[in-house]
Amino acid sequence: MKIVLPGDKISDTPVRMENAIVENGKTYATVIGMMDESRGAFIPLESVWYPREGDFIVGIIENSKNNVYTVSMDSPFRGLILPPPRPRFGGRGGRDERFGRHEERREIMHMGDIVSAFVKEVKREADQIILILDRPRRLTGGKLIEVRPSKVPRIIGKESTMLRQLETGTKCTILVGLNGIVWLNGEDVPLAQKAIAKIQEEAHVGGLTERISELLENKGR
Amino acid sequence: MIAENEEYILGLLGKGMREHERGQMQYRDIKIEIGKIPHAEGSAMVDIGNTKVLVGVKLDVGDPLPDKPNEGALITGAELLPLANAEYETGPPSPEAIEFARVVDRGIRAAEVVDLGALFIEEGKVWSTFVDIYVLNYDGNLFDAGTLASSAALLSARMPKYEDGNVIREGSLGKLKTKGMVTSCTFAKVGRNILLDPNANEERIMAGRLTIANDENVIRAMQKGLSGSFSYAELSNLIDTTFDNSKRLRSMLDSAVGE
Amino acid sequence: MIMGGSGEKPQLIINGKRTDGRVPDELRPIKLEVGTLKNAEGSAYLEWGNNKVLAAVYGPKEAQPKHIADPNRAIIKCRYQMAPFSSLEEHSRSGPNRRAIEISKVTKEVFENVILLDNFPGSEIDIFIEVLQSDGGTRAAGITAAAAAVASSGIPMKDIPYAVSAGKAGDLILLDLNKIEDNYSDADMPVAIAPRNNEVLLLQMDGSMSKEQFDSALQMIKKAGETITKIQRDALEARYR
């Protein structure tokens, strides 16, 4: 694996991909990353988050106005949780047999509340990109930490193996937002924090899984 | 930067824990390095955990203060640089930066770290000592880092010469004449707990802050900040804790400046 | 601004060597470290001769205040500042002066060229350059450090620019002027270049130069660029070894 820097050529042909640009028919990296020449894959070592439909995020309720919640996600994108659609039948807060009473379908949230959600739509508004969020869930207690969005795949691991290992080893619930905010709650939060810091520092060094299980077994000592 | 969850920090404290696995009256790792900026007459970089502070000392010929015609001047400034923290902004010094500089100034002034009497040159001419505190990375407890770095920079500073109207800053120079040494200990009140050396997360939720600067068994400066209060008993204990901790801080200073 | 207070012009070249012993096309020693500051998205510490420079980048984040936001792309805010204790001469007042404001502007324009601003409409990216010690050529050092800081942050950029100055003593072209040379040279020309396509992103000059002298100064700068680019590359790669 070769380290690639912004401006380095990664292909002699035009390849449309994230973290790269095409110029004069050739493809150049725009962030620092690793080139896996055998697979022709470019893996960013650092990157910012580009939201996509279906992305899981963790954020903080920043504002609530006219039944719309604004969610801050430590990114240039602003998240919105819109009021649930009015039921077609049953009007006036009545009961819709299929959906239940619509007022009940959304938790009341306050400024500063921690929330997880999914990106339903990436919308380009007049002055910035807005993310319409879906399936919000208020998270109580716990702790938020910031991680580098490019390290999120390593924190989760292949088929969530790393994440499960972290959760078991620290007896914590860990929600990893693709926006780079992670919510930790449970028994040994400081240990979980330490392990995640280690994953971030050493994400590019082989044998990470073993070192993390060692750290967890020794309770960080 | 995301705001810290108060519940979490309080929950940890309830279990007798603290972030980065330390005790309530325990400092993070401290590093003192002098001479980082050879162009300055004195300089020191201090790290307390992830907090990083650089102090540069310059001496210039200037006018004495009207009420102290035979003494040099000491001018202390602090900058909370925007590169140190996402929340710091560019612009004129904030009240926080001014308080910070003044608290450090009071400690070094009261402990007579600089022998201001030795800075007299001639009628109407004295040396002005500029102490500039540069905050490079913020993770709480700027006061102790600033005081340590200022002490280290002053204790290791060169003394320029004034000859025939010229300031000579290079060549064989003596040292700035100093008398005392000062260190400080800063405490945060978080819930019912008192924490030595608060980090940024703890400072964000602290109700009160107390800084005690001392020179062996003499208190040289104190500052209580924010709206929270401290009881008599707490103050008395914290003075003892400060005297205890200052022994180690002083010996770190001694070895950093090579005395 | 005169060393030792004497007004006489020192000899910049003695026996083919410069005041600090360099030959005309020789760079000062450069040391670069990436990731120095923990809070920033990207950061770098650069020692270039006696210059010591810190650079940090924050963002992209929502542009503040709202009215400065550009609906089509990110805006860059850049601040270059010299520490009051940075010079071997007297203490300087802190806060931006006209020189610092101009350098901040031309530095910002360098990064407006290389950062992919279109990816982040309505947002801002902040670049801070603090000169802790100065000895001539601090804007070039600042740009070189800031480029490494941005490259380490994951903010997308199409190339990693470098900067260096060239100048002139008599008819001799000198690379990378130090403070004394800067004060007494017959020309000074800081240049920033995006090396992949050799695009000139910053060009300033004062003094006097013929077209031929300009050409040879630029050639010298481009050759030095290979060394500087290599230093940037090594520092960035070192984080992942």
Side-chain angles (χ1 to χ4, degrees), chain A residues 162-215:
Chain A
M162 183 68 90
L163 187 60
R164 251 179 273 135
Q165 188 185 356
L166 287 172
E167 289 193 317
T168 319
T170 62
K171 298 199 172 70
C172 283
T173 305
I174 302 174
L175 299 182
V176 186
L178 292 175
N179 56 323
I181 300 185
V182 175
W183 181 75
L184 309 164
N185 194 25
E187 206 170 288
D188 203 344
V189 172
L191 180 60
Q193 209 180 337
K194 204 170 182 176
I196 290 173
K198 196 174 172 70
I199 296 172
Q200 289 205 80
E201 284 298 311
E202 304 175 14
H204 56 285
V205 188
L208 183 64
T209 316
E210 291 73 41
R211 287 197 304 282
I212 293 301
S213 51
E214 201 177 311
L215 178 87

Side-chain angles (χ1 to χ4, degrees), chain C residues 60-75:
Chain C
K61 55 189 184 187
E62 286 186 55
Q64 291 295 342
K66 205 81 198 143
H67 68 86
I68 63 161
D70 181 331
N72 297 313
R73 61 189 65 81
I75 57 163

Side-chain angles (χ1 to χ4, degrees), chain A:
Chain A
M1 297 260 249
K2 201 178 110 208
I3 294 181
V4 165
L5 298 185
D8 286 355
K9 189 167 71 184
I10 51 178
S11 172
D12 281 318
T13 56
V15 186
R16 294 256 159 236
M17 59 167 146
E18 240 168 47
N19 298 310
I21 47 164
V22 172
E23 241 182 62
N24 301 323
K26 297 182 172 60
T27 309
Y28 299 89
T30 59
V31 299
I32 185 166
M34 308 266 259
M35 193 68 205
D36 183 344
E37 273 147 339
S38 58
R39 293 191 300 135
F42 176 55
I43 306 134
L45 284 163
E46 304 292 345
S47 155
V48 291
W49 172 56
Y50 296 101
R52 278 195 219 157
E53 249 174 66
D55 279 1
F56 178 75
I57 63 99
V58 176
I60 298 166
I61 302 285
E62 201 180 47
N63 207 344
S64 139
K65 215 171 163 183
N66 304 329
N67 224 3
V68 174
Y69 295 115
T70 311
V71 181
S72 146
M73 285 176 287
D74 196 38
S75 81
F77 316 109
R78 170 167 300 199
L80 295 182
I81 302 172
L82 303 178
R86 290 192 166 274
R88 211 173 294 171
F89 308 104
R92 271 200 280 174
R95 190 171 284 273
D96 180 309
E97 293 308 323
R98 283 174 304 168
F99 301 109
R101 203 195 306 224
H102 79 272
E103 290 300 331
E104 282 174 6
R105 282 191 286 133
R106 192 162 77 153
E107 257 184 292
I108 301 297
M109 290 182 271
H110 298 100
M111 242 174 80
D113 280 355
I114 304 169
V115 64
S116 73
F118 291 86
V119 176
K120 187 182 171 195
E121 193 188 343
V122 181
K123 212 170 157 182
R124 193 162 176 155
E125 295 260 300
D127 56 349
Q128 71 177 132
I129 290 175
I130 300 283
L131 308 182
I132 306 296
L133 301 177
D134 201 12
R135 288 176 273 160
R137 197 179 129 206
R138 196 167 75 93
L139 306 172
T140 49
K143 177 185 174 60
L144 291 184
I145 58 168
E146 283 173 282
V147 299
R148 296 187 165 267
S150 51
K151 308 295 181 202
V152 163
R154 298 308 306 268
I155 297 169
I156 295 172
K158 252 185 217 135
E159 287 158 7
S160 301
T161 41
M162 183 68 90
L163 187 60
R164 251 179 273 135
Q165 188 185 356
L166 287 172
E167 289 193 317
T168 319
T170 62
K171 298 199 172 70
C172 283
T173 305
I174 302 174
L175 299 182
V176 186
L178 292 175
N179 56 323
I181 300 185
V182 175
W183 181 75
L184 309 164
N185 194 25
E187 206 170 288
D188 203 344
V189 172
L191 180 60
Q193 209 180 337
K194 204 170 182 176
I196 290 173
K198 196 174 172 70
I199 296 172
Q200 289 205 80
E201 284 298 311
E202 304 175 14
H204 56 285
V205 188
L208 183 64
T209 316
E210 291 73 41
R211 287 197 304 282
I212 293 301
S213 51
E214 201 177 311
L215 178 87
L216 295 174
E217 272 160 33
N218 300 332
K219 295 280 171 222
R221 305 262 172 262

